[in-house]
Structure formats: C-alpha cells, structure tokens
Amino acid sequence: MAVGACRNDPLTSGSAPALCRDCASLLPRNARVARCPSCGSRRIVSHPDLERLSIVHVDCDAFFASVEKHRRPELAGKPLLVGGTGDRGVVSTACYIARLSGARSAMPMRQARQLCPDAIVLEPDIAAYRAVAKTMREMMSALTPLVEAKSIDEAVLDLSGTMQLHGAPPCVVAARLALAVEQELGVSISVGLAENPMMAKLAAEIDKPRGYGVIGAEAPEWLAPRSVRTLPGVGAAQERALGRAGFTTLGAIAALSDHDAVRRLGPHGPSLAARARGEDARRVTPSRPAKSVSVETTFATDISAVAELERRLWLLCERLGARLRKGELSATGISLKLRTSRFETRTRAAQLFTPTILPERLFALARELLTKEIDGSAYRLLGIGTNGLAPLAAADPPDLADPNSGRRAAMQNAIDSIRTRFGDTMLNRGRALDRK
C-alpha cells in the first residue's frame, strides 16, 4: 500500500514520483536521494499517483492561534489558547505547543488552563481571522475557479485541467500554495491530495501540522482496517449503532453488496458502503448558498428572569438582523435555542408572514417562542437563527393592506414592547444596525 505522507522522508525509491515540500520541486524520476537536490530539504513526499491526482483539500493548522502568532511575534514558541476567557469560556483553538499538555479545541477553558498553566489566553478576533481567510481564498481562486470553502479555515480545490495554465501538475501547485500561504500570511496549512473530496480531506489529516498527505488507488485498502469513525460525518451515535450491527471497521462495511447494505444498514446503507470503499461522487462546487444564519450567547451565570432573557434576546435579534443584511439575505422563519442549567437543549421554530431582516420583527416572533419556555427553568445559553432564507430584496415588502392589519399591528406591538422594556436607546440602536 502506498500512502505518501512523511515528515522526514526516507530515501525515495526512484520508482515513484517524488516532491520536495520545501521548494515544490519534482525530483528526478530515477533519483535515489534522502535530500532534495535543489534545497537540501528532507521533507520529501513520494507516491505512485502523485502526478495524476488533482483534488486538493487545504486545512489550516491551529488557524486562530497561527494568525495571532503571526500578528504578535513575541508569542512565537509559547503555548497559546484562543477562546472565551470567562468562567464558561471554551477553547476555540489551541496551538500545537499547548496541545502537548493535553489542551484542545472545544475543551472548557478552565480545564485547558489547568492542563497548560503557562498558556497565554486571548479572546478571538473573528474579524482578523476572516480577513486572513479571505486573502487565502483569493490565493486559491487565482489557481482555479473551482474552490469550495468548507469553513473559515478549510477548502477543497479541483486542479484538474490546470497543468497548462501553471506549467506544473496539481501536486506541485498545491505545494506552492502551502509555501505561499505560510510565507505571506504566517499560517501553515496541511494539504491532502486524492481522487475525490472525501479522500482528500482524510489525506490532509494524515500528517498535520504542515502535512502533505497523498492517497490514490490504494484508498480501499487504506480505509479497510480503520474505525467507522474515520469517515467524515460518522459520529459517536452512528458508530455505536454500527457496532451493534456488527460493523466496527470500514472494510466490513465496504464488503457489503447494495442488497445486503440496505438489508442490514437501511436505505442509506449503499451510500455508506461506497464511502467505506473510498468512493465519493461529489464535485467541487465553487459556492453554496447559506442554509441558515444564527447567533447565540452563553451566559456567565444562569438566567431565569423573564425580563433579562428578553433583553438578551433583543440583543441577539439585533445581531441576527445585521448579519442577514451583510449576507444579503432575509429570514423566512426563525428558530429559538435554549440550553438549561442541566444542559438540556430546547428548540422551537416558527415561520414569518413575509421575509425580514428587521430586529423588531425577529424579536416579536422570537419572544412568542421564548414565552412558551418560561417555566421557572434557568438557562445557560440562548440563541436565535433563521428557519428558512430568502434574498435580501424580498425582505419586508411594503404593507399595502389597511394600516390596522394584523401584521402591522403585530409589528407595532413588538416596537411598543421593546420600547417599554428596554427604552428607545436599544430600539434605535437596532434600527441603526439594520441600516448599515
């Protein structure tokens, strides 16, 4: 089985294409060397399919922490945690030095600081991270129009057909991108090269940080002994369900015929079996419409008072309205999310008569949903999101009905309610945000 992903690669065999990751040079096909003849680097990756594969997954290494260290050179070589600093703060990103102590993303900040007491802790600067991500996307788009963003720090590129444009195969173009991003933006990335998006994502995880993983025709063999959790999208609950059905490795699922996959795993069984064999028919899609927009907040202390919950809800409605306008979208419905002090999550949803971006209208409907959950419970988290989206142009059409129509009356009631509870200052601030 040939998987190309080595941090300090041994002698290249001479029988497979090899690439230097530090100067992006292809090595002579018959060379048998431990170092790159051009730059002397030992970071050489070799794989039989290296020059054939064209789907590239790019995954930034400890993205938030990398941006902060580039902005603040004095942080170099120090453990860094980026995340909430309050009692209920959560780690957004732990740099690799901090990870050596056991700190990791999604861990309560208090626990991470106990594991890594010397760590420097910074609040996230999302605007700065988005600016770096935007520049990085522009660098990718200069290579191919087929760039699909997966998150703020992940993307997949289709470099097929770009050999003539760049005068180099995709493997070299991907290595050049990694070098350019690190040199210009101070962010290291891990690259995965494969035949399809799913396998490229898995290849990018082989050798982090600053990795360059390659998985080609050997994908079924590489997947076979691995846990079912290896597949993107398979979580703990599905892993347990598959285990009860007798499947703990991907090889066992991959061996199923479509008939047996349906019989033993249900209607989605054949799709799961195909992915277990490394098959992925998805194409790289340059842009995908947003499915939802949401905002939420975790309270420093649990809240049960109705007035305080409503005040926090209004602030979230302001933020949601501003985010919708910025994204040139409007909400056709909303969903309310609450988490109790016992970590029980409650959700409610409702539709609007017409799309909106106005905080007043969002609040009017959200408050109705919140009222139904006021039962004496104390809440640690409150969130509001869209339950359906429409273009910005469809938002808040003029009401041609009678001024006393139900919709207009409901909106006026919402405005009156906000003014009564929070005063004109907060109402005007919401309108100002909406106009931006």
Side-chain angles (χ1 to χ4, degrees), residues 73-394:
E74 69 273 14
L75 298 179
K78 298 179 181 179
L80 174 64
L81 301 172
V82 180
T85 57
D87 289 341
R88 293 183 174 178
V90 174
V91 178
S92 297
T93 303
C95 79
Y96 282 88
I97 298 174
R99 293 182 193 187
L100 295 174
S101 301
R104 55 177 173 77
S105 300
M107 174 180 285
M109 184 63 76
R110 179 180 294 178
Q111 181 182 356
R113 297 182 79 164
Q114 290 173 346
L115 292 170
C116 190
D118 296 331
I120 297 167
V121 180
L122 296 176
E123 289 272 5
D125 186 346
I126 300 300
Y129 310 150
R130 285 177 177 160
V132 173
K134 181 176 182 291
T135 301
M136 191 161 52
R137 297 274 150 63
E138 291 170 350
M139 296 169 70
M140 296 176 192
S141 297
L143 304 177
T144 173
L146 299 178
V147 178
E148 181 178 342
K150 294 295 186 180
S151 67
I152 192 172
D153 63 348
E154 281 188 90
V156 60
L157 297 76
D158 185 345
L159 291 172
S160 58
T162 62
M163 174 75 181
Q164 186 173 359
L165 175 64
H166 302 298
C171 62
V172 172
V173 176
R176 290 174 180 170
L177 174 65
L179 293 172
V181 169
E182 188 163 358
Q183 291 167 2
E184 297 178 25
L185 302 178
V187 174
S188 69
I189 65 175
S190 291
V191 169
L193 184 64
E195 294 183 341
N196 59 58
M198 182 188 75
M199 293 310 303
K201 178 177 177 61
L202 294 176
E205 297 172 356
I206 292 174
D207 194 27
K208 288 177 72 68
R210 300 184 75 217
Y212 194 118
V214 185
I215 303 177
E218 77 283 3
E221 181 184 357
W222 184 83
L223 288 167
R226 286 174 163 75
S227 162
V228 296
R229 283 290 293 276
T230 303
L231 287 185
V234 175
Q238 189 173 7
E239 180 185 30
R240 290 192 294 269
L242 289 169
R244 289 192 294 269
F247 299 98
T248 58
T249 66
L250 292 173
I253 298 175
L256 294 174
S257 66
D258 284 354
H259 174 77
D260 287 339
V262 171
R263 182 174 60 85
R264 301 191 62 183
L265 300 176
H268 299 294
S271 173
L272 182 61
R275 291 198 297 143
R277 293 188 290 269
E279 300 169 10
D280 181 7
R282 293 175 302 162
R283 294 184 178 183
V284 177
T285 305
S287 61
R288 287 183 175 178
K291 294 182 179 180
S292 64
V293 180
S294 62
V295 291
E296 63 181 42
T297 182
T298 299
F299 308 136
T301 57
D302 297 340
I303 298 174
S304 59
V306 178
E308 182 61 15
L309 287 169
E310 289 184 349
R311 187 181 74 83
R312 300 299 184 97
L313 180 61
W314 168 249
L315 295 174
L316 291 176
C317 290
E318 286 184 318
R319 289 171 54 194
L320 181 59
R323 288 191 61 182
L324 285 168
R325 176 175 284 279
K326 185 175 182 179
E328 299 186 350
L329 298 167
S330 58
T332 60
I334 64 167
S335 60
L336 185 75
K337 176 181 176 182
L338 291 155
R339 184 166 297 145
T340 70
S341 56
R342 297 182 178 181
F343 289 88
E344 171 194 356
T345 300
R346 303 178 183 180
T347 58
R348 283 187 174 270
Q351 295 302 114
L352 290 149
F353 287 111
T354 56
T356 190
I357 60 169
L358 295 177
E360 297 97 319
R361 290 189 63 197
L362 295 169
F363 178 78
L365 187 55
R367 181 169 169 258
E368 291 180 12
L369 299 179
L370 176 63
T371 300
K372 297 175 182 178
E373 299 301 323
I374 301 300
D375 58 4
S377 298
Y379 294 104
R380 60 179 285 116
L381 178 146
L382 174 64
I384 182 175
T386 59
N387 185 23
L389 291 169
L392 179 61

